[in-house]
Amino acid sequence: MAGHSKFKNIMHRKGAQDKKRSAMFSKLSREITVAAKMGAPDPDMNPRLRLAINAAKAQSMPKDNIQRAIDKASKSDAENYEEVRYEGYGPGGVAIIVEALTDNRNRTATNVRTAFSKNGGNLGASGAVSHGFDRMGLITYPASVGDPDAIFEAALEAGADDVSSNDDEHEIWTAMDALHEVAKALEDKLGAAASANLAWKPQTTVELDESNAGTLLKLVDALDDDDDVQTVWGNYEVPDDVMEKLG
């Protein structure tokens, strides 16, 4: 399991698909609303909104839900969300970055701190771990889109920096300021991506044993269960055999 939070992995593991899907739609809606509020409500004129809509479509979010999230941005009584980042350490010394969209910083900070403290971690100061990550663009496609060689070639032609493929998906990494351009070029070739967003790529990774991995996954679950948390990034690697034991 790679070191960033993926809904599908957590949905598989916990088996609570309906609950997780509802939470995922809520988070996707929030990102769409924020993106529409920060720029034009037209995805052709607003790259962040375009990526948010594509991510929602990739998760089979209904068109009505997407449109409601866009319309919400123009309403006078719409919540004012702000982007907040938290940094800390998890089991085994793993570095973790949590990104949130919140309308109440105190509530979110308390919830994130509690999740860390109850699951073998501790929240650090701003900048505590981010120096060990590179801020980049990350575009993902399901493995079924094409074989690794074809995806590698398409990604490089589109201007990507790096590609890694496994049995589940293709991860395409780009320079931070090239994300929208590369995502658009790939969309023309491969169709809409499963996800495309700014990411934190660890410079080095920590391989976890069964004990630490089990506690870490509980921490990731607890963070993902919080409505305000959008993404969780970490520098951990959980070997396949350990993941199988944890179920």
Side-chain angles (χ1 to χ4, degrees):
M1 180 179 177
H4 47 269
S5 174
K6 298 176 184 175
F7 266 104
K8 65 177 183 181
N9 287 349
I10 292 166
M11 285 169 68
H12 270 315
R13 195 169 68 249
K14 294 183 77 173
Q17 281 90 341
D18 290 344
K19 180 185 174 186
K20 284 293 175 183
R21 182 162 292 275
S22 174
M24 179 169 57
F25 283 177
S26 174
K27 292 171 194 256
L28 290 166
S29 293
R30 190 173 294 195
E31 170 61 20
I32 290 170
T33 300
V34 169
K37 201 165 189 175
M38 290 177 67
D42 180 357
D44 292 330
M45 304 290 290
N46 184 337
R48 178 170 173 172
L49 178 59
R50 181 180 181 81
L51 292 180
I53 291 173
N54 284 349
K57 287 179 177 177
Q59 298 299 333
S60 303
M61 188 169 167
K63 287 182 179 179
D64 288 349
N65 294 39
I66 293 173
Q67 191 58 51
R68 273 199 301 273
I70 295 173
D71 294 342
K72 193 175 180 181
S74 62
K75 293 181 179 177
S76 58
D77 61 344
E79 298 98 329
N80 286 311
Y81 295 115
E82 59 179 319
E83 296 174 296
V84 188
R85 186 173 83 234
Y86 303 95
E87 303 181 28
Y89 294 94
V94 165
I96 296 175
I97 296 175
V98 181
E99 294 178 314
L101 285 174
T102 180
D103 57 354
N104 186 325
R105 288 175 71 110
N106 290 336
R107 177 193 66 221
T108 308
T110 299
N111 291 348
V112 170
R113 185 175 292 106
T114 299
F116 270 87
S117 63
K118 284 187 174 181
N119 296 283
N122 60 283
L123 198 58
S126 178
V129 303
S130 54
H131 57 81
F133 293 76
D134 294 319
R135 189 65 161 154
M136 299 184 71
L138 174 60
I139 304 162
T140 65
Y141 278 92
S144 58
V145 166
D147 67 73
D149 288 342
I151 300 302
F152 184 82
E153 187 175 326
L156 289 190
E157 284 181 8
D161 286 2
D162 191 23
V163 183
S164 63
S165 300
N166 55 43
D167 292 342
D168 295 322
E169 66 180 7
H170 305 285
E171 291 186 348
I172 300 162
W173 293 91
T174 77
M176 186 171 68
D177 56 2
L179 172 62
H180 300 300
E181 184 181 327
V182 175
K184 180 66 174 68
L186 285 172
E187 186 180 346
D188 293 340
K189 292 182 180 181
L190 306 174
S195 67
N197 54 293
L198 291 176
W200 294 93
K201 186 178 185 182
Q203 295 161 5
T204 59
T205 57
V206 177
E207 187 170 301
L208 296 179
D209 58 23
E210 187 176 344
S211 174
N212 282 326
T215 307
L216 175 80
L217 295 180
K218 289 178 182 176
L219 171 57
V220 173
D221 279 345
L223 290 167
D224 269 323
D225 283 342
D226 190 288
D227 289 342
D228 298 334
V229 172
Q230 292 292 103
T231 47
V232 181
W233 308 94
N235 67 344
Y236 57 88
E237 289 289 341
V238 180
D240 290 343
D241 60 326
V242 171
M243 200 67 200
E244 285 177 17
K245 290 178 184 176
L246 293 171

